[in-house]
Amino acid sequence: MATVKSSTDPRRAKINKVVRNQADKKVLGLLGAEGVNFITEDCGDNFRVLSQGRVINELQFHPRVRGWALATSWSRCEDYVETPCVLTKELYVTKDLGYRWELVTDYIVQFAWAAVSENVPKERIFLTHEPKGKGNQQIAGWSEAVHFSMSDDFFKTSKILVPRGNKFLLNPTYIFVAQVVDQSTQDVNLIVASSTGPEYEFDTTELPSKIYREHSYTILDASESSVFLNINHQGANSKFGNVYISDAEGVRYSLSLRFQVRNSDGQCDFERVQGLEGIYLANVYDEQAIKNLKYKLQAGMDAAETGPKRGGASFSAFDNLEAFKRTLITFDKGGIWKPLTPPEKDSTGRRTICDSEGCSLHLHSLTSKQFGPFYSTENSLGIVMGTGNVGQFLTSKIDQVNTYLSRDGGYSWFEVRKGSHIYEIGDHGGLIVMAPDQEATNSLLYSWNEGLTWDQFNFTNDTIEVTNIMIEPSNVGQKFVLYGETTLNKKRKGVVVALDFSTLHQRTCKGANSPDASDSDYEKWNPYGESLSKCLMGRQITYIRRKREAECFNGIEFDRPEHVKNCECTEADWECDADFERPEGGGPCARIDGTDIDYKPPLKCDGYYYVSQGYRKVAGDTCQGGVDHSPLKLPCPGITVLNKSSYGVIIVLILIIVLLVLIKTNSTILGSGNKQDNRGYIKYGMVDKMPAGEMENFGKLVFEDEDLEDQPAQVTEDLSLIHISEPTRLLSISYAVFCLKKKKRCQCT
């Protein structure tokens, strides 16, 4: 690979991608479009050509070993001299930062270093490929000839981990593999294992229902002890999927959100609010629009317009959905999704008109290539920015799209500027920079007070079309890079502008140790969304952040203090279990198929079994006490459970027997005396002599007095037990009812 020569001039190379070495962040790889690739070992001060003449499709540095890297490149016909040309995707390895390369194997689909933990050998490689591939390689759709394999010796030997495993996703916690079920229908299953190794035990993911086919997957987020997964159930051309959330093991999934927006590349309108737990934004298609689409497809109306289709409905049918996008937010990790609250006023101070039913704020996201997506950063706590509009649905009309900001994690919103802008956040959220992105400009806007006011800065004499604004990854600095394109001498040119705001501020913020004080630039803030208990994920976290009106800078070294305490559990701490779902906007979890909960024991029952009440605690939630939707623990048939209440019933029965014996004895002893006085003694005396509190153990003890004074003196009366009731309730609560009634005897003559 390194010996291939080329006449391409490196000075004319166009860079498509920059890859960072995690083992040494000063090492960067730059992938070019014309077979010219570069590498730097000193963060850009010096560059050398990396494998000149061969187009590197993908490059991945080893996560722990500085000099190791994997790369793929397609074979070329000039590589074949004595044999027919065969085009395949080849995997190479270097152990010296690209000076020498060795072929690992070919017919590659996907690859990755497997060493995400110290338990995994550093040589281990995961890949999907065709071990028995022949001829030109075809990478289109799901194939039963592709398998998921691993090797610890650069594929001198290897092991197939998942037969028919075509694609995979690896992170520090999980490894997911899409396994082909039926190549003809393009159906797949998703299986999962812990990625920490060194051995892997794969389980098939358990989804709420098998009535849907599974065509493709997108892992949306796996950062908070569980996984958000978008599944495309409709086919290759589908523009929406359902969102599912897993348990802590990543195996059992429950439905969180229907009809979430995605594109044919698998990108989805879904974003976590960085720095805060449990808050996510997503775009969905309106449910009624989906129903209309399904009716149209079922009726066959689309076929006449688009002709034959392969792998699902045609794009023209799904394109009709673009006018029916809506934005939703969750503050409890997907348990309940709600529309965004529109701002009360626009950026000019005019009242926002949003009185009709269904009116809310909507924001663009990843699938919209025209406008900036909703955006937040880990260190700009609570600040979220986006472009969109207020109304029934999201629009792409340029004159209706404006720029919005939230400073409380998406709970409330402000319109900060008319029109669409591209934005970036620095200084821990203390500095926001943005520029128009729908027209050429030579100026940008910046704000030190989270969008309350904006200052304008002219950064060039010539107008440019701004593509993006960037900052270092931690978003704590005050130096930015703006890049875009312009036309000079009738030629399109790329433009890069460096921006340094460190000299524009007046002072450093003060008073971080005394937040909320009048002379402090800082305040306490507790993110809680719509929770009345001011808790998220079962805990109340109080942060220290800069006051909005304080025009000062935090500085790179600012350390944000926080205080955490656990909360009592509420409904928000419980999500729907597998096979259950909530209606949009909230409500109790109910079975997806509309049936009642089945309390029957399993066929194999050993001691106890558990029945879901339709809920499970959100993974990572730390609440204690309060609302409890835990599964019910029930005894298997034939198992006698002696809990506290059961022992109480046994004691009561013993006492009743003793009482009856005493009553019988007293009746016999007192029979020769004064009948009326003796009856009174029987009625009250026995109760009076019982120890204090003993009466409560009887549950309900009833003596019936049938007008004793009207009875003839010759009548002898005893009490007899007529009913004992011991119903057992579902929650192991038992009680007994004892009714005692006088026997009536005739007068002897």
Side-chain angles (χ1 to χ4, degrees), residues 463-477:
T463 60
I464 69 170
E465 297 170 11
V466 178
T467 302
N468 204 354
I469 304 174
M470 301 177 64
I471 195 174
E472 43 77 31
S474 62
N475 295 85
V476 299

Side-chain angles (χ1 to χ4, degrees), residues 331-363:
F331 295 98
D332 59 359
K333 205 173 180 179
I336 298 174
W337 292 87
K338 294 189 174 181
L340 296 183
T341 303
E344 296 181 356
K345 299 179 180 179
D346 67 8
S347 56
T348 65
R350 296 178 180 177
R351 176 180 172 271
T352 300
I353 301 176
C354 190
D355 300 327
S356 60
E357 183 179 355
C359 181
S360 60
L361 175 64
H362 309 283
L363 301 175

Side-chain angles (χ1 to χ4, degrees), residues 552-570:
C552 56
F553 78 102
N554 292 296
I556 293 177
E557 302 301 325
F558 174 61
D559 185 19
R560 192 184 304 276
E562 62 182 60
H563 173 72
V564 183
K565 71 173 183 178
N566 287 333
C567 303
E568 191 176 78
C569 296
T570 66

Side-chain angles (χ1 to χ4, degrees), residues 152-224:
D152 292 339
D153 56 8
F154 302 100
F155 277 82
K156 294 179 177 62
T157 62
S158 62
K159 177 183 179 181
I160 294 178
L161 294 177
V162 181
R164 306 183 313 283
N166 278 212
K167 294 288 184 69
F168 68 93
L169 182 140
L170 177 68
N171 68 28
T173 306
Y174 307 102
I175 178 168
F176 296 90
V177 182
Q179 184 181 46
V180 178
V181 175
D182 188 330
Q183 181 173 327
S184 63
T185 60
Q186 292 290 282
D187 290 348
V188 290
N189 276 341
L190 188 68
I191 61 176
V192 61
S194 170
S195 62
T196 56
E199 302 298 327
Y200 308 98
E201 295 183 6
F202 285 92
D203 292 309
T204 301
T205 54
E206 299 177 18
L207 295 172
S209 176
K210 288 298 181 184
I211 62 174
Y212 297 119
R213 288 180 171 178
E214 301 168 32
H215 293 282
S216 57
Y217 308 88
T218 299
I219 306 298
L220 302 172
D221 183 75
S223 62
E224 296 184 6

Side-chain angles (χ1 to χ4, degrees), residues 448-669:
W448 289 99
N449 52 26
E450 299 174 11
L452 283 176
T453 59
W454 296 88
D455 294 311
Q456 183 171 307
F457 174 68
N458 294 329
F459 58 87
T460 182
N461 293 326
D462 300 313
T463 60
I464 69 170
E465 297 170 11
V466 178
T467 302
N468 204 354
I469 304 174
M470 301 177 64
I471 195 174
E472 43 77 31
S474 62
N475 295 85
V476 299
Q478 300 162 62
K479 297 179 180 180
F480 299 76
V481 173
L482 178 150
Y483 65 91
E485 293 184 340
T486 189
T487 301
L488 293 175
N489 299 323
K490 298 182 179 181
K491 293 183 178 181
R492 299 291 290 172
K493 299 287 185 179
V495 178
V496 177
V497 180
L499 305 168
D500 186 355
F501 289 85
S502 60
T503 60
L504 294 182
H505 54 76
Q506 297 180 354
R507 60 185 178 86
T508 303
C509 298
K510 62 181 181 179
N513 295 325
S514 56
D516 291 333
S518 58
D519 60 346
S520 174
D521 292 315
Y522 293 93
E523 64 182 1
K524 295 179 181 178
W525 177 59
N526 167 228
Y528 57 88
E530 297 186 331
S531 170
L532 297 178
S533 60
K534 296 187 176 181
C535 300
L536 287 177
M537 297 296 292
R539 48 194 172 269
Q540 186 180 95
I541 305 180
T542 302
Y543 296 98
I544 306 301
R545 67 175 183 179
R546 199 197 66 173
K547 295 177 181 177
R548 188 177 190 185
E549 65 276 6
E551 296 190 13
C552 56
F553 78 102
N554 292 296
I556 293 177
E557 302 301 325
F558 174 61
D559 185 19
R560 192 184 304 276
E562 62 182 60
H563 173 72
V564 183
K565 71 173 183 178
N566 287 333
C567 303
E568 191 176 78
C569 296
T570 66
E571 291 290 341
D573 299 299
W574 298 87
E575 65 187 6
C576 292
D577 204 351
D579 295 317
F580 293 80
E581 68 173 332
R582 277 191 175 100
E584 183 180 314
C589 295
R591 291 189 65 90
I592 295 176
D593 58 11
T595 61
D596 295 329
I597 296 176
D598 185 3
Y599 293 97
K600 294 179 181 178
L603 295 177
K604 294 183 179 181
C605 194
D606 184 14
Y608 298 90
Y609 68 100
Y610 292 86
V611 176
S612 172
Q613 299 187 74
Y615 300 84
R616 67 187 182 202
K617 187 178 284 189
V618 175
D621 195 294
T622 61
C623 71
Q624 299 173 343
V627 174
D628 186 4
H629 289 310
S630 300
L632 299 177
K633 181 180 180 181
L634 302 177
C636 293
I639 300 297
T640 300
V641 182
L642 295 180
N643 53 25
K644 291 182 179 180
S645 59
S646 300
Y647 283 116
V649 171
I650 294 174
I651 293 173
V652 168
L653 291 175
I654 294 173
L655 290 174
I656 287 296
I657 294 172
V658 173
L659 177 63
L660 292 175
V661 172
L662 291 174
I663 291 173
K664 182 66 176 178
T665 302
N666 282 328
S667 298
T668 304
I669 294 174

Side-chain angles (χ1 to χ4, degrees), residues 112-182:
W113 293 107
V116 296
S117 75
E118 295 293 336
N119 296 328
V120 180
K122 66 178 183 298
E123 298 86 0
R124 182 167 295 177
I125 298 172
F126 287 145
L127 58 79
T128 53
H129 71 139
E130 294 183 57
K132 299 180 180 180
K134 295 181 179 180
N136 292 333
Q137 183 178 354
Q138 302 293 327
I139 301 181
W142 302 107
S143 170
E144 294 177 351
V146 175
H147 307 297
F148 175 68
S149 304
M150 78 170 190
S151 174
D152 292 339
D153 56 8
F154 302 100
F155 277 82
K156 294 179 177 62
T157 62
S158 62
K159 177 183 179 181
I160 294 178
L161 294 177
V162 181
R164 306 183 313 283
N166 278 212
K167 294 288 184 69
F168 68 93
L169 182 140
L170 177 68
N171 68 28
T173 306
Y174 307 102
I175 178 168
F176 296 90
V177 182
Q179 184 181 46
V180 178
V181 175
D182 188 330

